[in-house]
Amino acid sequence: MSILEIWLLAVSLAIDCFTVSITSGIILHRIRWGIFLKMAFLFGLFQAAMPFLGWLGASRFNHLIETYDHWIAFALLAFLGIRMIREHFKDEEERSFDPTRMKVILTLAVATSIDALTVGISFAFTGFHTLSSLLYPLTAIGIASFVISLAGSLIGVFFGKRFNLRVEIFGGLVLIGIGVKILFEHLLANH
């Protein structure tokens, strides 16, 4: 893979993080550097760690991972999306979907990075035979996800303030849509 191809791959993997970060920024309506940096860091960390885990387990668990990874991503994102939509219909004091909670951030980080696991599997079969050969792609993926997630959060705050949006339904549909996209990409690729 060329350097350009690695960065294009890194950016494409970060798109789901970007979308989730925009939604979180809109929900929060104000810049919360601690939360945004934590979210961006965890998104970057998981986006970089999942290809490593995929690469590591490719020789032993390839058939198991490929069979179920898309269903796991879909289930996590659909669960969060449905929960977010339900939050829209609750009174202000009853709401529990909170993108500032560590449990929510970790779930989003795992759900948006599961497709990166498959990328790691493909690394094992496309010339990345040593850990040292993997360091540059993993670093690029982590950095791209961090920067793009942070930018998404700030863009979300800008639009949330400007248009005074309550986007729980939109955000929930986006999460479900990302899950459906992952599911269909994998199902169509296998047929």
Side-chain angles (χ1 to χ4, degrees):
M1 280 185 131
S2 71
I3 291 175
L4 176 63
E5 290 170 329
I6 288 170
W7 281 100
L8 288 173
L9 173 67
V11 169
S12 67
L13 285 174
I15 295 301
D16 292 346
C17 299
F18 180 68
T19 306
V20 170
S21 296
I22 287 174
T23 304
S24 296
I26 290 172
I27 289 171
L28 294 174
H29 281 280
R30 63 187 168 100
I31 296 176
R32 308 233 349 229
W33 286 111
I35 298 301
F36 293 165
L37 289 170
K38 185 186 314 180
M39 184 179 288
F41 174 77
L42 288 172
F43 282 5
L45 178 67
F46 276 79
Q47 288 286 355
M50 287 295 199
F52 172 70
L53 293 175
W55 175 80
L56 200 59
S59 60
R60 294 180 185 223
F61 305 109
N62 186 17
H63 63 286
L64 296 175
I65 294 169
E66 284 183 337
T67 304
Y68 300 107
D69 67 343
H70 51 285
W71 287 106
I72 294 167
F74 170 73
L76 287 170
L77 289 167
F79 170 76
L80 286 171
I82 291 167
R83 186 171 168 197
M84 188 182 276
I85 290 169
R86 286 181 48 214
E87 291 296 312
H88 174 77
F89 297 104
K90 290 184 177 179
D91 291 333
E92 197 72 38
E93 60 272 357
E94 292 179 11
R95 294 191 180 161
S96 63
F97 186 87
D98 183 0
T100 65
R101 292 179 49 208
M102 182 59 85
K103 182 171 80 170
V104 172
I105 294 171
L106 284 172
T107 304
L108 290 170
V110 169
T112 57
S113 65
I114 287 181
D115 55 344
L117 192 67
T118 306
V119 169
I121 293 169
S122 71
F123 282 164
F125 303 115
T126 57
F128 294 95
H129 301 296
T130 64
L131 181 58
S132 62
S133 68
L134 252 170
L135 285 179
Y136 184 76
L138 296 180
T139 303
I141 290 168
I143 289 170
S145 295
F146 176 86
V147 170
I148 288 172
S149 296
L150 192 56
S153 296
L154 296 173
I155 289 168
V157 168
F158 173 77
F159 282 106
K161 279 183 174 179
R162 182 160 222 160
F163 301 108
N164 197 20
L165 299 173
R166 279 198 49 211
V167 295
E168 290 90 355
I169 291 176
F170 174 73
L173 291 173
V174 166
L175 292 179
I176 293 168
I178 292 170
V180 169
K181 175 190 79 102
I182 290 169
L183 183 63
F184 278 120
E185 284 175 352
H186 287 274
L187 291 176
L188 291 176
N190 291 329
H191 283 68

